[in-house]
Amino acid sequence: MTEWFQSWFNDDYLLLYPHRNAAEAAQLVSLIGEHTQWTSGWRVLDVGCGPGRHAVALEGAGLRPVGLDLSSALLRRARQVTSAPLVRADMRRLPIRAGSMDACLSLFTSFGYFESDEEHAATLAGMTATLRPGGWFVMDFLNAAQVRSHVAPVAGPLVPGERGSHLRKYLSADQRYVIKEIHLADGRLFNERVRLYHATELEAMLAAAGITVEQRFGDYQGARCIDGSPRALLMGRAA
Ligand SMILES: C[S@@+](CC[C@H](N)C(=O)[O-])C[C@H]1O[C@@H](n2cnc3c(N)ncnc32)[C@H](O)[C@@H]1O
């Protein structure tokens, strides 16, 4: 069975998220750099690197990023903008040597796509295992508290999106996932489905994976993370 994230993250995805651009990526990378105090030459794994916008900013900051993604369409885009090594792989089975990274990043909700909490926990453990002792793990995830208070529990009317698309968001029947239905102008339909982990749940999962969270932010400007924040951005270190 093809899972939704195997088919949706393609060139159509990029057309629908034009505001998720290089400037936004540079802002986030700068915030991460300020708080991790990374130094030139650090090896940084970007899990779910997509079109490579963060890899570009990381290279610009003097780091040595490695981009990893499942989507060959998005990796092709990344190849056009960065000279960083790019790996096509599933984040559930990372082909990266344990302890080889100074930092590992999961940016712009590149997590929460799987069926079970066990699979998510195992994926996090795989990501954190790539870190050397003292290496940084950064998780930039949707803020589940904010999503739950803004998204209707049942599907409402479609609203217009980019490029003639129509969208609607709602919660799954068990309230554990947020679903975004994406009707493209040419009639194709995709569903994004993301597990609503609250920031405190993410932090507990990270602790179980050996990461102590030291910094928490609610947006890319570095505001405090509260229930109404747009993002849940956690930065922590491996033991
Ligand atoms: C929301 S996009 C974010 C992309 C990128 N981080 C950015 O901010 O532009 C999520 C990314 O995760 C990738 N992805 C989804 N499932 C994956 C998996 N199982 N293994 C590796 N990458 C995956 C997608 O192909 C996509 O590039």
Side-chain angles (χ1 to χ4, degrees):
M1 188 193 69
T2 304
E3 293 167 289
W4 71 265
F5 50 86
Q6 293 173 310
S7 52
W8 167 234
F9 290 113
N10 57 29
D11 292 324
D12 296 308
Y13 158 77
L14 290 183
L15 292 175
L16 259 64
Y17 286 81
H19 50 296
R20 303 307 187 181
N21 55 25
E24 187 195 64
Q27 186 177 36
L28 175 55
V29 164
S30 158
L31 183 71
I32 298 170
E34 189 185 322
H35 291 280
T36 60
Q37 299 196 326
W38 49 30
T39 53
S40 177
W42 269 27
R43 277 170 64 81
V44 180
L45 179 65
D46 181 5
V47 181
C49 66
R53 62 194 179 118
H54 297 102
V56 170
L58 292 163
E59 276 183 312
L63 305 163
R64 288 186 295 155
V66 176
L68 182 143
D69 206 282
L70 193 57
S71 164
S72 21
L74 296 187
L75 286 172
R76 269 196 298 278
R77 295 298 193 104
R79 188 71 297 150
Q80 291 166 6
V81 296
T82 174
S83 57
L86 298 173
V87 181
R88 179 163 187 265
D90 192 315
M91 67 176 84
R92 292 170 287 187
R93 290 174 289 280
L94 291 177
I96 304 290
R97 192 158 48 85
S100 63
M101 294 289 156
D102 299 297
C104 177
L105 316 177
S106 172
L107 304 181
F108 187 46
T109 319
S110 297
F111 184 70
Y113 302 161
F114 310 129
E115 287 303 319
S116 70
D117 288 342
E118 290 71 24
E119 205 167 12
H120 285 118
T123 303
L124 267 189
M127 290 196 268
T128 62
T130 66
L131 291 169
R132 63 160 166 82
W136 282 88
F137 187 82
V138 177
M139 168 68 74
D140 162 35
F141 198 62
L142 53 72
N143 184 352
Q146 192 268 354
V147 172
R148 284 185 194 283
S149 64
H150 281 78
V151 173
V154 290
L158 289 164
V159 296
E162 298 283 338
R163 307 270 177 157
S165 64
H166 286 83
L167 316 168
R168 67 179 152 210
K169 277 189 193 174
Y170 50 93
L171 302 182
S172 60
D174 63 6
Q175 313 270 301
R176 286 152 58 91
Y177 288 81
V178 60
I179 297 166
K180 188 194 228 177
E181 249 180 57
I182 303 157
H183 298 250
L184 298 183
D186 62 11
R188 284 175 298 148
L189 169 65
F190 293 93
N191 284 305
E192 283 184 356
R193 187 169 173 275
V194 179
R195 175 77 167 90
L196 286 172
Y197 287 120
H198 190 277
T200 53
E201 290 178 291
L202 284 177
E203 194 162 331
M205 290 164 76
L206 284 169
I211 301 293
T212 306
V213 172
E214 295 183 8
Q215 310 277 353
R216 300 156 190 86
F217 301 101
D219 63 25
Y220 298 158
Q221 285 81 43
R224 205 160 60 87
C225 186
I226 56 172
D227 278 357
S229 305
R231 308 296 302 161
L233 175 51
L234 305 177
M235 303 186 197
R237 304 185 80 164

